[in-house]
Amino acid sequence: MNLRHLAVTACLASLLSLPALAADHWVGTWATSPVALPNPEAKYGAAETTYREIVHISIGGDAARIILTNEFGLTSLTISSAYLAPRSQGSEIDAANTRPVTFNGRTSVTIPAGALAVSDPVALKLPALSDVAVSFVVPAQSITQVTHHSFANQTSYTAPGSVSGAPSLENPSEITDWPFLKGIDVRSSDDKAASIVAFGDSITDGAHSTRNTNQRWPDLLAQRLQADKKTKDLGVLNEGIGGNRVLHDNTGPSALERFDRDVLAQAGVKYLIILESINDIGHAQDPVKPYDVVSAEDLIAGLSQLATRAHTHGIKVYGATLTPYVGAKYASPAGETMRQTLNQWIRTTNQLDGFIDFDKATQDKGNPAVFSSSADSGDHLHPADAGYKSMSDSIDLKLFTR
């Protein structure tokens, strides 16, 4: 064996003895489900505008990245600059901890129609359960359709011009949706860190909860997880859309259509909670004008498909029973029979890894078909803040230690 061969052999042996380099471990800490918004009056893109969008994250991390979206756009979307910072109050941000966001080293990014853009890592430590501001500039451009989440239940801000790095916005306009922003991931040093996706309709989205207070049941679940040392490494991603249905499009694509985008594509997903079907039932059995008629068996088949697709990716799936709806505008005896059939399947099927009994948590004990007085927001369909808390409190955290 010559000296060159010996040197190569020694080099290979040295390389093989090196410890493996750990890849960055990214976990979703906040997310939302986008839908399409037509822009016929060119409200969006008419002039250069800064967006400062406020979100409440779940899990913390030592670095972060943002996801901007043009998934429902019909033409390319250009973002000319972006910043990430802790929010102080209102539109004010923590100037000492404001960081520029880049995309492949560039301060601007053009996102093709139907696509999204994940930023470079941002060296910024974000604490769990904190308010974060994502600021970015949309220069003047033609935008025929916007990608946004219509019901943020959170006040965000816009200002004219390019002022995304400003500590506060001068005379900003308030908005209550999340345009162009899809999610935030954090980097965790804990390789056990993971995320839970809360997948559902307006009840998951937090309809009728108090604005700017983060009283949605997924937010309250995130608080409980952080308070328990066994689960504080779990983030919660709210993928609820008001009016959403399992089998038909309505406000946003159906659950079956959006599942890959809103669940499987999220960073670090380990668990899934599904709370869907009440809108399918309500419209199918509407006593005034039924439409898109489906049966309980159709809905069970749809939910089974979601579970199968999640299991294919190693995600544990928990079904949530449908909360009471007697007294709601589209309630009917036939619909209540369907709801009970769905709930019985959720409680007993072996196609799910377990269930969460939101029905039991919010029902009136003397009349289980209706909300309790404390849980009901008044429309007999959506919970009040106390109802959302009852839902969160009913979740056994041991489900997320399996």
Side-chain angles (χ1 to χ4, degrees), residues 3 5 9 30 79 98 101 116 131 159 164 174 200 206 227 241 263 273 283 305 315 317 327 330 339 346 352 369 383:
L3 291 176
H5 190 192
T9 302
W30 176 87
I79 306 292
T98 299
V101 178
L116 54 76
D131 285 351
S164 57
E174 295 185 352
I241 298 178
V263 178
I273 303 171
H283 294 307
Q305 281 289 306
I315 299 169
V317 184
Y330 58 23
R339 187 181 75 92
I346 290 167
L352 303 172

PDB file of all heavy atoms in Angstrom, residues 3 5 9 30 79 98 101 116 131 159 164 174 200 206 227 241 263 273 283 305 315 317 327 330 339 346 352 369 383:
ATOM      1  N   LEU A   3       1.981   5.425   0.083  1.00  0.00           N
ATOM      2  CA  LEU A   3       1.706   6.476   1.056  1.00  0.00           C
ATOM      3  C   LEU A   3       0.423   7.238   0.737  1.00  0.00           C
ATOM      4  O   LEU A   3      -0.341   7.633   1.618  1.00  0.00           O
ATOM      5  CB  LEU A   3       2.888   7.448   1.107  1.00  0.00           C
ATOM      6  CG  LEU A   3       4.188   6.884   1.707  1.00  0.00           C
ATOM      7  CD1 LEU A   3       5.299   7.911   1.602  1.00  0.00           C
ATOM      8  CD2 LEU A   3       3.962   6.497   3.170  1.00  0.00           C
ATOM      9  N   HIS A   5      -2.269   6.052  -0.743  1.00  0.00           N
ATOM     10  CA  HIS A   5      -3.398   5.220  -0.354  1.00  0.00           C
ATOM     11  C   HIS A   5      -3.611   5.265   1.154  1.00  0.00           C
ATOM     12  O   HIS A   5      -4.725   5.354   1.659  1.00  0.00           O
ATOM     13  CB  HIS A   5      -3.165   3.794  -0.833  1.00  0.00           C
ATOM     14  CG  HIS A   5      -4.369   2.910  -0.690  1.00  0.00           C
ATOM     15  ND1 HIS A   5      -4.293   1.547  -0.841  1.00  0.00           N
ATOM     16  CD2 HIS A   5      -5.673   3.180  -0.380  1.00  0.00           C
ATOM     17  CE1 HIS A   5      -5.498   1.023  -0.649  1.00  0.00           C
ATOM     18  NE2 HIS A   5      -6.353   2.008  -0.368  1.00  0.00           N
ATOM     19  N   THR A   9      -6.912   6.620   3.082  1.00  0.00           N
ATOM     20  CA  THR A   9      -7.582   5.742   4.037  1.00  0.00           C
ATOM     21  C   THR A   9      -7.715   6.400   5.401  1.00  0.00           C
ATOM     22  O   THR A   9      -8.771   6.348   6.051  1.00  0.00           O
ATOM     23  CB  THR A   9      -6.814   4.417   4.160  1.00  0.00           C
ATOM     24  OG1 THR A   9      -6.739   3.800   2.875  1.00  0.00           O
ATOM     25  CG2 THR A   9      -7.514   3.483   5.126  1.00  0.00           C
ATOM     26  N   TRP A  30     -46.836  29.342  14.816  1.00  0.00           N
ATOM     27  CA  TRP A  30     -48.066  30.063  14.485  1.00  0.00           C
ATOM     28  C   TRP A  30     -48.355  29.825  13.007  1.00  0.00           C
ATOM     29  O   TRP A  30     -47.436  29.787  12.178  1.00  0.00           O
ATOM     30  CB  TRP A  30     -47.934  31.562  14.746  1.00  0.00           C
ATOM     31  CG  TRP A  30     -49.154  32.329  14.327  1.00  0.00           C
ATOM     32  CD1 TRP A  30     -50.270  32.563  15.087  1.00  0.00           C
ATOM     33  CD2 TRP A  30     -49.412  32.923  13.049  1.00  0.00           C
ATOM     34  NE1 TRP A  30     -51.203  33.267  14.352  1.00  0.00           N
ATOM     35  CE2 TRP A  30     -50.697  33.505  13.092  1.00  0.00           C
ATOM     36  CE3 TRP A  30     -48.696  33.019  11.861  1.00  0.00           C
ATOM     37  CZ2 TRP A  30     -51.273  34.169  12.015  1.00  0.00           C
ATOM     38  CZ3 TRP A  30     -49.253  33.672  10.772  1.00  0.00           C
ATOM     39  CH2 TRP A  30     -50.532  34.246  10.863  1.00  0.00           C
ATOM     40  N   ILE A  79     -42.648  41.260  -2.765  1.00  0.00           N
ATOM     41  CA  ILE A  79     -42.478  41.852  -1.443  1.00  0.00           C
ATOM     42  C   ILE A  79     -41.093  42.490  -1.434  1.00  0.00           C
ATOM     43  O   ILE A  79     -40.100  41.815  -1.722  1.00  0.00           O
ATOM     44  CB  ILE A  79     -42.576  40.798  -0.324  1.00  0.00           C
ATOM     45  CG1 ILE A  79     -43.879  39.996  -0.425  1.00  0.00           C
ATOM     46  CG2 ILE A  79     -42.411  41.449   1.040  1.00  0.00           C
ATOM     47  CD1 ILE A  79     -45.128  40.771  -0.125  1.00  0.00           C
ATOM     48  N   THR A  98     -35.458  44.260  16.579  1.00  0.00           N
ATOM     49  CA  THR A  98     -36.021  44.205  15.233  1.00  0.00           C
ATOM     50  C   THR A  98     -34.972  43.663  14.280  1.00  0.00           C
ATOM     51  O   THR A  98     -33.832  44.128  14.268  1.00  0.00           O
ATOM     52  CB  THR A  98     -36.480  45.601  14.779  1.00  0.00           C
ATOM     53  OG1 THR A  98     -37.498  46.072  15.661  1.00  0.00           O
ATOM     54  CG2 THR A  98     -37.024  45.569  13.357  1.00  0.00           C
ATOM     55  N   VAL A 101     -35.558  40.568   7.487  1.00  0.00           N
ATOM     56  CA  VAL A 101     -35.835  39.226   6.977  1.00  0.00           C
ATOM     57  C   VAL A 101     -35.384  39.159   5.528  1.00  0.00           C
ATOM     58  O   VAL A 101     -35.686  40.054   4.735  1.00  0.00           O
ATOM     59  CB  VAL A 101     -37.348  38.898   7.074  1.00  0.00           C
ATOM     60  CG1 VAL A 101     -37.631  37.513   6.503  1.00  0.00           C
ATOM     61  CG2 VAL A 101     -37.817  38.995   8.519  1.00  0.00           C
ATOM     62  N   LEU A 116     -45.614  29.872  -2.352  1.00  0.00           N
ATOM     63  CA  LEU A 116     -45.299  30.584  -1.116  1.00  0.00           C
ATOM     64  C   LEU A 116     -43.795  30.753  -1.032  1.00  0.00           C
ATOM     65  O   LEU A 116     -43.049  30.198  -1.842  1.00  0.00           O
ATOM     66  CB  LEU A 116     -45.855  29.852   0.105  1.00  0.00           C
ATOM     67  CG  LEU A 116     -45.502  28.379   0.320  1.00  0.00           C
ATOM     68  CD1 LEU A 116     -44.087  28.192   0.844  1.00  0.00           C
ATOM     69  CD2 LEU A 116     -46.472  27.737   1.294  1.00  0.00           C
ATOM     70  N   ASP A 131     -46.451  38.132  21.616  1.00  0.00           N
ATOM     71  CA  ASP A 131     -46.938  38.797  20.414  1.00  0.00           C
ATOM     72  C   ASP A 131     -45.758  39.171  19.535  1.00  0.00           C
ATOM     73  O   ASP A 131     -44.775  39.756  20.008  1.00  0.00           O
ATOM     74  CB  ASP A 131     -47.717  40.063  20.775  1.00  0.00           C
ATOM     75  CG  ASP A 131     -49.095  39.767  21.342  1.00  0.00           C
ATOM     76  OD1 ASP A 131     -49.516  38.597  21.298  1.00  0.00           O
ATOM     77  OD2 ASP A 131     -49.744  40.710  21.819  1.00  0.00           O
ATOM     78  N   ALA A 159     -49.648  51.038   6.625  1.00  0.00           N
ATOM     79  CA  ALA A 159     -49.225  52.437   6.506  1.00  0.00           C
ATOM     80  C   ALA A 159     -48.723  52.650   5.086  1.00  0.00           C
ATOM     81  O   ALA A 159     -48.190  51.725   4.458  1.00  0.00           O
ATOM     82  CB  ALA A 159     -48.127  52.759   7.510  1.00  0.00           C
ATOM     83  N   SER A 164     -41.357  49.501   6.862  1.00  0.00           N
ATOM     84  CA  SER A 164     -41.489  48.229   7.575  1.00  0.00           C
ATOM     85  C   SER A 164     -40.557  48.113   8.769  1.00  0.00           C
ATOM     86  O   SER A 164     -40.846  47.366   9.704  1.00  0.00           O
ATOM     87  CB  SER A 164     -41.268  47.057   6.613  1.00  0.00           C
ATOM     88  OG  SER A 164     -40.006  47.155   5.979  1.00  0.00           O
ATOM     89  N   GLU A 174     -56.064  50.394  10.629  1.00  0.00           N
ATOM     90  CA  GLU A 174     -56.229  49.096  11.261  1.00  0.00           C
ATOM     91  C   GLU A 174     -56.880  48.104  10.302  1.00  0.00           C
ATOM     92  O   GLU A 174     -57.767  48.477   9.528  1.00  0.00           O
ATOM     93  CB  GLU A 174     -57.084  49.211  12.521  1.00  0.00           C
ATOM     94  CG  GLU A 174     -56.429  50.037  13.622  1.00  0.00           C
ATOM     95  CD  GLU A 174     -57.241  50.046  14.907  1.00  0.00           C
ATOM     96  OE1 GLU A 174     -58.386  49.535  14.892  1.00  0.00           O
ATOM     97  OE2 GLU A 174     -56.738  50.550  15.931  1.00  0.00           O
ATOM     98  N   GLY A 200     -60.058  22.990  11.542  1.00  0.00           N
ATOM     99  CA  GLY A 200     -61.494  23.096  11.701  1.00  0.00           C
ATOM    100  C   GLY A 200     -62.118  24.284  11.006  1.00  0.00           C
ATOM    101  O   GLY A 200     -61.585  24.806  10.026  1.00  0.00           O
ATOM    102  N   GLY A 206     -62.062  30.773  16.226  1.00  0.00           N
ATOM    103  CA  GLY A 206     -62.298  31.646  17.370  1.00  0.00           C
ATOM    104  C   GLY A 206     -63.410  32.653  17.189  1.00  0.00           C
ATOM    105  O   GLY A 206     -63.428  33.688  17.877  1.00  0.00           O
ATOM    106  N   ALA A 227     -47.556  25.422  30.325  1.00  0.00           N
ATOM    107  CA  ALA A 227     -47.526  25.347  31.789  1.00  0.00           C
ATOM    108  C   ALA A 227     -47.145  23.973  32.310  1.00  0.00           C
ATOM    109  O   ALA A 227     -46.915  23.805  33.520  1.00  0.00           O
ATOM    110  CB  ALA A 227     -48.891  25.751  32.352  1.00  0.00           C
ATOM    111  N   ILE A 241     -60.995  27.790   9.481  1.00  0.00           N
ATOM    112  CA  ILE A 241     -61.565  28.746   8.531  1.00  0.00           C
ATOM    113  C   ILE A 241     -63.063  28.828   8.782  1.00  0.00           C
ATOM    114  O   ILE A 241     -63.761  27.809   8.759  1.00  0.00           O
ATOM    115  CB  ILE A 241     -61.333  28.326   7.067  1.00  0.00           C
ATOM    116  CG1 ILE A 241     -59.837  28.256   6.743  1.00  0.00           C
ATOM    117  CG2 ILE A 241     -62.030  29.297   6.113  1.00  0.00           C
ATOM    118  CD1 ILE A 241     -59.559  27.786   5.322  1.00  0.00           C
ATOM    119  N   VAL A 263     -52.093  21.116   6.682  1.00  0.00           N
ATOM    120  CA  VAL A 263     -51.686  20.170   7.717  1.00  0.00           C
ATOM    121  C   VAL A 263     -50.332  19.534   7.380  1.00  0.00           C
ATOM    122  O   VAL A 263     -49.337  19.732   8.085  1.00  0.00           O
ATOM    123  CB  VAL A 263     -52.748  19.065   7.942  1.00  0.00           C
ATOM    124  CG1 VAL A 263     -52.268  18.058   8.991  1.00  0.00           C
ATOM    125  CG2 VAL A 263     -54.069  19.686   8.375  1.00  0.00           C
ATOM    126  N   ILE A 273     -55.742  17.615  15.542  1.00  0.00           N
ATOM    127  CA  ILE A 273     -57.084  17.609  16.116  1.00  0.00           C
ATOM    128  C   ILE A 273     -58.046  18.081  15.036  1.00  0.00           C
ATOM    129  O   ILE A 273     -57.874  19.171  14.474  1.00  0.00           O
ATOM    130  CB  ILE A 273     -57.183  18.543  17.338  1.00  0.00           C
ATOM    131  CG1 ILE A 273     -56.160  18.158  18.407  1.00  0.00           C
ATOM    132  CG2 ILE A 273     -58.602  18.518  17.910  1.00  0.00           C
ATOM    133  CD1 ILE A 273     -56.054  19.165  19.545  1.00  0.00           C
ATOM    134  N   HIS A 283     -75.911  23.030   6.487  1.00  0.00           N
ATOM    135  CA  HIS A 283     -76.399  23.393   5.153  1.00  0.00           C
ATOM    136  C   HIS A 283     -77.163  22.240   4.500  1.00  0.00           C
ATOM    137  O   HIS A 283     -78.155  22.466   3.804  1.00  0.00           O
ATOM    138  CB  HIS A 283     -75.233  23.838   4.273  1.00  0.00           C
ATOM    139  CG  HIS A 283     -74.602  25.117   4.742  1.00  0.00           C
ATOM    140  ND1 HIS A 283     -75.327  26.261   4.964  1.00  0.00           N
ATOM    141  CD2 HIS A 283     -73.318  25.421   5.055  1.00  0.00           C
ATOM    142  CE1 HIS A 283     -74.520  27.221   5.382  1.00  0.00           C
ATOM    143  NE2 HIS A 283     -73.294  26.734   5.454  1.00  0.00           N
ATOM    144  N   GLN A 305     -60.881   9.762   5.464  1.00  0.00           N
ATOM    145  CA  GLN A 305     -59.838  10.101   4.498  1.00  0.00           C
ATOM    146  C   GLN A 305     -58.787  11.016   5.113  1.00  0.00           C
ATOM    147  O   GLN A 305     -57.577  10.831   4.899  1.00  0.00           O
ATOM    148  CB  GLN A 305     -60.466  10.785   3.276  1.00  0.00           C
ATOM    149  CG  GLN A 305     -61.117   9.842   2.290  1.00  0.00           C
ATOM    150  CD  GLN A 305     -60.087   9.021   1.548  1.00  0.00           C
ATOM    151  OE1 GLN A 305     -59.159   9.549   0.947  1.00  0.00           O
ATOM    152  NE2 GLN A 305     -60.246   7.708   1.593  1.00  0.00           N
ATOM    153  N   ILE A 315     -48.614  11.035  11.596  1.00  0.00           N
ATOM    154  CA  ILE A 315     -49.261  12.002  12.481  1.00  0.00           C
ATOM    155  C   ILE A 315     -50.382  11.318  13.257  1.00  0.00           C
ATOM    156  O   ILE A 315     -51.214  10.625  12.666  1.00  0.00           O
ATOM    157  CB  ILE A 315     -49.831  13.183  11.665  1.00  0.00           C
ATOM    158  CG1 ILE A 315     -48.698  13.899  10.919  1.00  0.00           C
ATOM    159  CG2 ILE A 315     -50.597  14.147  12.554  1.00  0.00           C
ATOM    160  CD1 ILE A 315     -49.192  14.905   9.901  1.00  0.00           C
ATOM    161  N   VAL A 317     -53.903  11.265  15.111  1.00  0.00           N
ATOM    162  CA  VAL A 317     -55.126  11.998  14.796  1.00  0.00           C
ATOM    163  C   VAL A 317     -56.151  11.838  15.908  1.00  0.00           C
ATOM    164  O   VAL A 317     -56.536  10.721  16.259  1.00  0.00           O
ATOM    165  CB  VAL A 317     -55.740  11.504  13.469  1.00  0.00           C
ATOM    166  CG1 VAL A 317     -56.955  12.348  13.098  1.00  0.00           C
ATOM    167  CG2 VAL A 317     -54.704  11.533  12.347  1.00  0.00           C
ATOM    168  N   GLY A 327     -80.861  25.447  18.058  1.00  0.00           N
ATOM    169  CA  GLY A 327     -81.131  26.864  18.219  1.00  0.00           C
ATOM    170  C   GLY A 327     -80.400  27.734  17.231  1.00  0.00           C
ATOM    171  O   GLY A 327     -80.745  28.902  17.043  1.00  0.00           O
ATOM    172  N   TYR A 330     -79.345  27.398  11.202  1.00  0.00           N
ATOM    173  CA  TYR A 330     -79.542  26.285  10.266  1.00  0.00           C
ATOM    174  C   TYR A 330     -79.754  24.944  10.971  1.00  0.00           C
ATOM    175  O   TYR A 330     -79.618  23.886  10.372  1.00  0.00           O
ATOM    176  CB  TYR A 330     -78.428  26.203   9.238  1.00  0.00           C
ATOM    177  CG  TYR A 330     -76.991  26.045   9.732  1.00  0.00           C
ATOM    178  CD1 TYR A 330     -76.673  25.517  10.976  1.00  0.00           C
ATOM    179  CD2 TYR A 330     -75.922  26.401   8.903  1.00  0.00           C
ATOM    180  CE1 TYR A 330     -75.373  25.351  11.387  1.00  0.00           C
ATOM    181  CE2 TYR A 330     -74.600  26.241   9.298  1.00  0.00           C
ATOM    182  CZ  TYR A 330     -74.334  25.721  10.543  1.00  0.00           C
ATOM    183  OH  TYR A 330     -73.038  25.553  10.947  1.00  0.00           O
ATOM    184  N   ARG A 339     -75.561  15.005  13.709  1.00  0.00           N
ATOM    185  CA  ARG A 339     -74.498  15.386  14.648  1.00  0.00           C
ATOM    186  C   ARG A 339     -74.257  14.282  15.670  1.00  0.00           C
ATOM    187  O   ARG A 339     -73.103  13.931  15.969  1.00  0.00           O
ATOM    188  CB  ARG A 339     -74.870  16.692  15.354  1.00  0.00           C
ATOM    189  CG  ARG A 339     -73.753  17.257  16.235  1.00  0.00           C
ATOM    190  CD  ARG A 339     -74.174  18.540  16.937  1.00  0.00           C
ATOM    191  NE  ARG A 339     -75.087  18.261  18.053  1.00  0.00           N
ATOM    192  CZ  ARG A 339     -74.672  18.069  19.316  1.00  0.00           C
ATOM    193  NH1 ARG A 339     -73.382  18.100  19.616  1.00  0.00           N
ATOM    194  NH2 ARG A 339     -75.556  17.831  20.266  1.00  0.00           N
ATOM    195  N   ILE A 346     -67.028   9.326  16.226  1.00  0.00           N
ATOM    196  CA  ILE A 346     -65.774   9.905  16.717  1.00  0.00           C
ATOM    197  C   ILE A 346     -65.372   9.273  18.041  1.00  0.00           C
ATOM    198  O   ILE A 346     -64.188   8.995  18.288  1.00  0.00           O
ATOM    199  CB  ILE A 346     -65.918  11.438  16.852  1.00  0.00           C
ATOM    200  CG1 ILE A 346     -66.003  12.085  15.463  1.00  0.00           C
ATOM    201  CG2 ILE A 346     -64.757  12.043  17.651  1.00  0.00           C
ATOM    202  CD1 ILE A 346     -66.446  13.532  15.475  1.00  0.00           C
ATOM    203  N   LEU A 352     -59.378   6.589  14.376  1.00  0.00           N
ATOM    204  CA  LEU A 352     -58.726   7.713  15.034  1.00  0.00           C
ATOM    205  C   LEU A 352     -57.869   7.186  16.179  1.00  0.00           C
ATOM    206  O   LEU A 352     -58.082   6.087  16.674  1.00  0.00           O
ATOM    207  CB  LEU A 352     -59.765   8.695  15.566  1.00  0.00           C
ATOM    208  CG  LEU A 352     -60.745   9.278  14.539  1.00  0.00           C
ATOM    209  CD1 LEU A 352     -61.829  10.089  15.248  1.00  0.00           C
ATOM    210  CD2 LEU A 352     -60.017  10.141  13.518  1.00  0.00           C
ATOM    211  N   ALA A 369     -78.471  18.725  24.213  1.00  0.00           N
ATOM    212  CA  ALA A 369     -78.512  19.127  22.808  1.00  0.00           C
ATOM    213  C   ALA A 369     -78.204  20.604  22.616  1.00  0.00           C
ATOM    214  O   ALA A 369     -78.043  21.050  21.476  1.00  0.00           O
ATOM    215  CB  ALA A 369     -79.873  18.808  22.203  1.00  0.00           C
ATOM    216  N   PRO A 383     -69.117  29.184  20.635  1.00  0.00           N
ATOM    217  CA  PRO A 383     -68.916  29.411  22.065  1.00  0.00           C
ATOM    218  C   PRO A 383     -68.544  30.862  22.362  1.00  0.00           C
ATOM    219  O   PRO A 383     -68.044  31.590  21.508  1.00  0.00           O
ATOM    220  CB  PRO A 383     -67.746  28.479  22.410  1.00  0.00           C
ATOM    221  CG  PRO A 383     -67.672  27.498  21.285  1.00  0.00           C
ATOM    222  CD  PRO A 383     -68.133  28.238  20.073  1.00  0.00           C
TER     223      PRO A 383
END
